[in-house]
């Protein structure tokens, strides 16, 4: 049993590092979602209202799809270059 103020052992340090990496990955994903939402909303919604009309909804869907496709393409190219 661990005493108060005792140094964490190696297992606890690995668990903490894994937890921190997971939380960092979540933060990166959330930031990307926020950027995507803001970018597509600004591009597609002229007059914010209670609901999106069909053209705004389609625009947002297309915008998000293109953004995600572009991100996947860029990441794939970066990974391929890295492996060369």
């Amino acid at each position: 049993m661990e005493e108060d103020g005792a140094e964490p052992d190696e297992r606890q340090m690995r668990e903490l590092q894994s937890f921190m990496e997971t939380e960092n990955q979540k933060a990166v994903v959330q930031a990307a979602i926020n950027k995507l939402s803001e970018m597509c909303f600004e591009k597609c919604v002229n007059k914010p209202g209670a609901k999106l009309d069909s053209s705004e909804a389609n625009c947002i869907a297309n915008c998000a799809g293109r953004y995600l496709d572009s991100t996947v393409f860029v990441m794939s190219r970066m990974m391929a270059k890295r492996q060369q």
Side-chain angles (χ1 to χ4, degrees), residues 61-79:
N62 290 334
C63 174
R66 283 192 311 271
Y67 180 83
L68 294 173
D69 289 344
S70 298
T71 301
V72 168
F73 175 77
V74 169
M75 294 302 291
S76 297
R77 295 287 295 181
M78 288 174 59
M79 294 297 283

Side-chain angles (χ1 to χ4, degrees), residues 9-21:
D9 63 25
E10 189 175 327
R11 179 188 58 80
Q12 291 170 323
M13 291 299 292
R14 283 193 310 269
E15 288 175 0
L16 178 60
Q17 183 176 6
S18 176
F19 173 78
M20 295 299 291
E21 288 172 1

